[in-house]
Amino acid sequence: MKAKKLIPTFALLLSLTALTACAGDKTVEFGNYWTGDALISGTEIHETLKYDASFAPTEVTETLDYTFAYTNGSLVTTLDSTTENGKVVYVFKTEMNIDVTYTFKGESSEPFKDSIVSEVRFYEAANNLKPISSNKTIVIHNPTNGNKHTKLSECYRISNYTIQTTYDEKGKGNCVVTSADNADFSFKDKFSPDKDYNFIDNEQLLVALRAISKDTSSATVESYSPFVGNPQKIKFSFADGKSGQKFDLIENGQDFTGDKSRAIAYRKVTMSIDATNSGSSQIAWVATGNTSTYRNVVLRYETPHAYGLGSLVFQLKEITRS
């Protein structure tokens, strides 16, 4: 569909749709490592993670005839367990908020409030994290490319739309994209996963990373991308573990910052897509310390911005579990 080509690159944040081409293994064994004991089914989890968000520009930004700056960035994720029809179901929510200001020839905009909010429901590892449904709402002021702008309003483009995806018992999906400001952009899609691969919903990315054992060096899953119109193969490539680096964290109200900060072992994982003309890789640091304490939590997450202008970086600051 022609409309899909109009999807703004920055709107790909927190999804698996702007990654680099790569091939890999077909299968992966998932575990409920966020519960502290992946071998026990049905363990409850109620967890909130809070991240600081910042923008890391590249030299490409210097070629623009305008500037933009991000402030007050944050990401909050929540993971809760429940039971439906005798099966364990997880509800994973994310909310990203950040302010952006554009400046052109001495004129600056008021700070725009960008936000991306998502929710996905899926079964536990015993059912391969099979997705049930997801929804995502995006309000973004995307930078435009080139250096032939004539006024401030040409330096950004507003995108306001929702993505709703549902799955039937056989895993077949139905996706509806609705634009609040461009009727030509709205569309519907149906798709069927490849049975040879584990399938996850796009909005499961940050939690699915935690379901992979620290002994796994690479894994491939499949996920549907509304920006492409069909399921794609996604490769997780894990580097060797690192240790000794300290992280400032608040854990269940206890202060482990500054002199109290603790070293947490982690592995760096590169996420990539096997597709033509895909973008840059996404990178995450996944804790590999005491799994009953850190539960494969994502300590740091980097996702590319539009046109190679830089990356948004999310750094974990607070953990709350009950």
Side-chain angles (χ1 to χ4, degrees):
M1 298 175 205
K2 183 178 180 181
K4 294 178 185 177
K5 299 180 181 178
L6 302 177
I7 298 245
T9 306
F10 185 46
L12 308 183
L13 178 67
L14 301 181
S15 65
L16 298 169
T17 53
L19 305 175
T20 261
C22 190
D25 306 322
K26 281 190 174 184
T27 59
V28 56
E29 183 176 352
F30 291 129
N32 302 322
Y33 292 106
W34 46 77
T35 65
D37 192 337
L39 300 179
I40 299 178
S41 176
T43 302
E44 287 191 22
I45 177 71
H46 302 285
E47 174 191 79
T48 299
L49 305 178
K50 295 181 179 180
Y51 298 78
D52 284 344
S54 60
F55 178 65
T58 63
E59 294 181 358
V60 177
T61 58
E62 299 177 2
T63 66
L64 299 174
D65 59 2
Y66 65 92
T67 61
F68 60 92
Y70 288 100
T71 56
N72 303 321
S74 67
L75 169 66
V76 178
T77 74
T78 60
L79 179 63
D80 294 288
S81 59
T82 185
T83 303
E84 296 181 8
N85 299 320
K87 293 183 179 180
V88 176
V89 171
Y90 291 107
V91 181
F92 181 63
K93 300 178 181 180
T94 70
E95 181 173 350
M96 191 279 294
N97 291 285
I98 197 166
D99 295 344
V100 59
T101 302
Y102 287 86
T103 301
F104 178 70
K105 293 186 176 181
E107 180 186 3
S108 296
S109 68
E110 292 294 323
F112 296 120
K113 303 290 185 181
D114 283 0
S115 66
I116 299 177
V117 179
S118 71
E119 176 179 319
V120 59
R121 297 168 61 250
F122 59 95
Y123 294 109
E124 66 173 338
N127 289 287
N128 294 320
L129 306 185
K130 181 180 177 181
I132 301 169
S133 64
S134 73
N135 59 73
K136 186 173 189 174
T137 301
I138 298 173
V139 180
I140 290 294
H141 296 76
N142 301 279
T144 54
N145 203 8
N147 54 9
K148 295 183 179 180
H149 301 91
T150 61
K151 54 185 178 180
L152 178 62
S153 60
E154 294 177 351
C155 300
Y156 57 87
R157 184 174 65 252
I158 303 173
S159 297
N160 183 345
Y161 62 94
T162 61
I163 304 171
Q164 295 180 313
T165 308
T166 56
Y167 300 87
D168 64 20
E169 294 182 357
K170 295 182 179 180
K172 294 183 178 180
N174 182 70
C175 180
V176 179
V177 177
T178 305
S179 174
D181 51 16
N182 185 352
D184 292 336
F185 179 74
S186 304
F187 59 87
K188 298 180 180 180
D189 256 348
K190 292 184 178 181
F191 58 92
S192 298
D194 186 335
K195 295 181 179 180
D196 291 335
Y197 291 84
N198 297 87
F199 184 91
I200 64 171
D201 186 271
N202 259 333
E203 308 316 315
Q204 285 177 263
L205 169 62
L206 289 180
V207 69
L209 283 174
R210 301 172 62 184
I212 300 175
S213 167
K214 64 182 178 61
D215 298 319
T216 301
S217 60
S218 65
T220 298
V221 299
E222 187 179 53
S223 184
Y224 165 78
S225 168
F227 313 110
V228 177
N230 55 267
Q232 294 177 300
K233 306 301 184 295
I234 302 158
K235 172 81 170 185
F236 296 154
S237 298
F238 292 87
D240 292 338
K242 295 179 181 272
S243 59
Q245 180 163 334
K246 292 187 175 182
F247 294 84
D248 287 331
L249 290 175
I250 303 295
E251 300 178 26
N252 280 348
Q254 295 187 54
D255 187 344
F256 295 102
T257 64
D259 294 340
K260 299 178 182 178
S261 63
R262 296 182 293 186
I264 303 176
Y266 68 92
R267 290 197 300 166
K268 181 178 176 181
V269 55
T270 300
M271 293 157 281
S272 51
I273 259 183
D274 183 12
T276 304
N277 299 323
S278 51
S280 301
S281 300
Q282 296 185 20
I283 295 172
W285 296 2
V286 180
T288 58
N290 186 332
T291 54
S292 64
T293 301
Y294 295 108
R295 307 186 184 188
N296 284 17
V297 71
V298 176
L299 298 164
R300 180 183 173 94
Y301 176 61
E302 302 174 17
T303 186
H305 204 303
Y307 312 119
L309 296 177
S311 298
L312 276 172
V313 180
F314 302 90
Q315 188 77 30
L316 182 63
K317 291 300 179 183
E318 185 172 348
I319 300 173
T320 302
R321 295 193 184 101
S322 61

